[in-house]
Every structure is written in C-alpha cells, then in structure tokens.
Amino acid sequence: GSRIRSGVVQVKFTRPPAGAPQILGSGRQYWEWMREDSLVIWNGDGNEQTFVITAESHTDTFVSGPLVVSGTDFAPLLLASRPSPVDSLVLSAVLPLTSVDASRIRCSDSLVVIRRVEIDTADPRKTNVFANWPQGKECALMLDSAAMRNAGGQFNRPDTFRIIVPPAGSFGSLRIKLDSVAEGRAFIVHLLLEDLIIRSAEVALDTWPVDLYFSYLLPGTYRLRLIEDRDRNGRWDPGNFQQKTQAEAVYYFNLPELRADWEVNANIR
C-alpha cells in the first residue's frame, strides 16, 4: 500500500487493464477518471480515506489525505473553440466539478440558446455546453462567477471565450452499414478520432443491416469500435472469474479518410 497526502491518487498500469478497475473507498465520496493505462482518484472527504483498487487479479491499497486547495477561485479552460452545430463545447478544470449553473453561462449572440450544461460522466473535470451554435459565425461564451464549483469548494472566476463556428462546408458525414455482423446481438458503437469518443450509439441487431449516420464531423481518419453488449446494459462488462463469464468482445474497424464537404460510405461485415 501507499500513503498519498495531496488528496489525489494516481495509478499507472503497465498496460491498459482488461476491464475497468474496481475501486472500494472507505469514505463517503470520491471521483475517478480512467484513460487507457492511467487511473486518477480524488478524495471527496474532508478526512483521510483508504482506497482498495483491483485491476484484473491484482489488488493494491492506497491511503489518501484530504483534498487541499489554495486560493478561493479557479480558472476553467475552453478545450476546443470550434464546435459543430450538434456537438458541445467543453470547459475543463483541474479538479472534478461538483455543480454547474447553466443560467450563469451565456453567449454574446442573443440568438444562441444554451440548451443544457452537464458535467461529463467519463471525466468529472469537464463540463459539456450544448447550444444551437451558428454556422460560419464568431461569438463569445461568457462565464459568470459561480457558474461552476469544484471538489475543493472553489467557484470559477468570470471569463470570456472566443468561439468560431466553422461554416457548413467544413464538415463531412459518415454513413455506416452494419451488415451481417451478428444477428440477434446488441452492440455499443463508438466513433473514435484518435482515442477520443466523438459520437456513440447503442444498436440491437435484431434485424440487419443497420444503418448509422453521423453528420457534422470535422475532417480526419476515424475508427469504429463495436462493443458486444451481451446483457444489453449499455456498458462494457469485464470477465468474472468466479462466475466463469468472459469479458464482452470489442472490435475495431478502420474507416476511410473523411474530408470536408464529403460523405463517406462504409460497409462493416
């Protein structure tokens, strides 16, 4: 076991584990973020907390002190300033976010309606801002003070971010046919650009072929990840040695390069 004082436990595995690590915390609250071969846990209690982490068949114990912050506020960052009309803007912080107030997030263009604001379920440090972003226009996203609160109890400081929405001709679209993949099975579909999930869908191949259509994609070379969802619970499940169940299968498919103002058709068999 290891003792960690800062309130943040960081674990780096020698390779990405087959399945999400299991975390058992001794306190009331913690936040976690998993990416490939790294796991980060933030202690959400005001006291010391013990974490027992099991990845595959290996178990480790970490003792973390309370989260300590300096200063009364924090400065969020805008991760990407060129949203498509259907994607969110992403605001990011150093610590996990515990609440966001959509009424304190505005756009300089009065025609832009902030539809919803929500903390990312996969990475608690990120907030997604959804709106009807105007194509081919520039505007400013204005963040009032106390729009966001983090795990250290700090509120954000006010800020303004410049947004440039690409014109319609900047995007491409993908039409993907899942043909004779596996009738009667369900899949979770992830459209990946590098390692980032750009779009996702859940499909049941009770009848096939199934057509998927992804619009407003920036140019690039995308991959498709199909996760066989045997129990149809909407997530990937690792194997269980005691129950003698195998991990749900994961398949990757390379897609043709997508260029601006193009539609690419792909057949996945």
Side-chain angles (χ1 to χ4, degrees), residues 62-136:
F62 299 88
V63 181
S64 166
L67 200 61
V68 177
V69 298
S70 58
T72 56
D73 58 10
F74 70 98
L77 294 173
L78 181 65
L79 289 191
S81 59
R82 298 171 68 85
S84 87
V86 296
D87 288 324
S88 66
L89 278 175
V90 181
L91 293 165
S92 177
V94 173
L95 292 177
L97 298 164
T98 56
S99 64
V100 292
D101 184 350
S103 69
R104 293 176 179 267
I105 301 174
R106 296 171 291 117
C107 190
S108 61
D109 186 332
S110 60
L111 296 177
V112 175
V113 177
I114 306 288
R115 292 199 184 106
R116 67 184 196 278
V117 179
E118 53 192 39
I119 297 170
D120 196 303
T121 53
D123 187 346
R125 298 168 299 177
K126 294 176 182 172
T127 290
N128 297 298
V129 182
F130 294 89
N132 58 325
W133 308 114
Q135 294 181 53

Side-chain angles (χ1 to χ4, degrees), residues 110-178:
S110 60
L111 296 177
V112 175
V113 177
I114 306 288
R115 292 199 184 106
R116 67 184 196 278
V117 179
E118 53 192 39
I119 297 170
D120 196 303
T121 53
D123 187 346
R125 298 168 299 177
K126 294 176 182 172
T127 290
N128 297 298
V129 182
F130 294 89
N132 58 325
W133 308 114
Q135 294 181 53
K137 283 191 178 180
E138 255 187 66
C139 56
L141 187 73
M142 295 177 287
L143 205 60
D144 295 342
S145 60
M148 307 160 79
R149 185 182 173 120
N150 70 12
Q154 300 168 312
F155 289 103
N156 67 284
R157 64 187 65 151
D159 209 343
T160 299
F161 303 98
R162 182 181 176 218
I163 300 168
I164 304 167
V165 185
S170 307
F171 302 102
S173 56
L174 278 169
R175 193 178 294 278
I176 300 169
K177 179 177 282 190
L178 301 179

Side-chain angles (χ1 to χ4, degrees), residues 2-244:
S2 303
R3 182 172 290 275
I4 294 166
R5 299 189 179 189
S6 67
V8 184
V9 175
Q10 292 183 291
V11 182
K12 192 164 179 68
F13 303 99
T14 52
R15 60 178 174 79
Q22 292 182 314
I23 304 164
L24 185 63
S26 64
R28 296 182 309 278
Q29 190 173 38
Y30 65 85
W31 297 271
E32 64 182 277
W33 174 70
M34 181 77 197
R35 170 88 187 263
E36 299 292 333
D37 60 353
S38 298
L39 171 68
V40 182
I41 305 171
W42 293 268
N43 180 2
D45 278 6
N47 306 308
E48 191 174 88
Q49 186 170 180
T50 301
F51 296 101
V52 180
I53 301 169
T54 304
E56 295 177 358
S57 59
H58 186 73
T59 298
D60 260 325
T61 302
F62 299 88
V63 181
S64 166
L67 200 61
V68 177
V69 298
S70 58
T72 56
D73 58 10
F74 70 98
L77 294 173
L78 181 65
L79 289 191
S81 59
R82 298 171 68 85
S84 87
V86 296
D87 288 324
S88 66
L89 278 175
V90 181
L91 293 165
S92 177
V94 173
L95 292 177
L97 298 164
T98 56
S99 64
V100 292
D101 184 350
S103 69
R104 293 176 179 267
I105 301 174
R106 296 171 291 117
C107 190
S108 61
D109 186 332
S110 60
L111 296 177
V112 175
V113 177
I114 306 288
R115 292 199 184 106
R116 67 184 196 278
V117 179
E118 53 192 39
I119 297 170
D120 196 303
T121 53
D123 187 346
R125 298 168 299 177
K126 294 176 182 172
T127 290
N128 297 298
V129 182
F130 294 89
N132 58 325
W133 308 114
Q135 294 181 53
K137 283 191 178 180
E138 255 187 66
C139 56
L141 187 73
M142 295 177 287
L143 205 60
D144 295 342
S145 60
M148 307 160 79
R149 185 182 173 120
N150 70 12
Q154 300 168 312
F155 289 103
N156 67 284
R157 64 187 65 151
D159 209 343
T160 299
F161 303 98
R162 182 181 176 218
I163 300 168
I164 304 167
V165 185
S170 307
F171 302 102
S173 56
L174 278 169
R175 193 178 294 278
I176 300 169
K177 179 177 282 190
L178 301 179
D179 191 4
S180 57
V181 175
E183 189 173 9
R185 298 186 194 173
F187 288 89
I188 301 160
V189 179
H190 290 157
L191 185 67
L192 304 175
L193 186 59
E194 295 176 348
D195 290 327
L196 294 176
I197 299 173
I198 305 300
R199 303 282 167 79
S200 61
E202 293 180 28
V203 296
L205 297 183
D206 297 320
T207 58
W208 49 265
V210 169
D211 288 311
L212 299 171
Y213 183 67
F214 300 106
S215 60
Y216 292 115
L217 297 171
L218 288 169
T221 303
Y222 292 82
R223 288 187 303 156
L224 199 69
R225 178 166 64 198
L226 289 184
I227 301 169
E228 186 181 349
D229 192 11
R230 282 199 305 260
D231 56 3
R232 303 198 180 200
N233 64 354
R235 65 171 187 268
W236 181 84
D237 291 308
N240 187 305
F241 182 76
Q242 281 81 19
Q243 297 175 12
K244 296 182 180 177

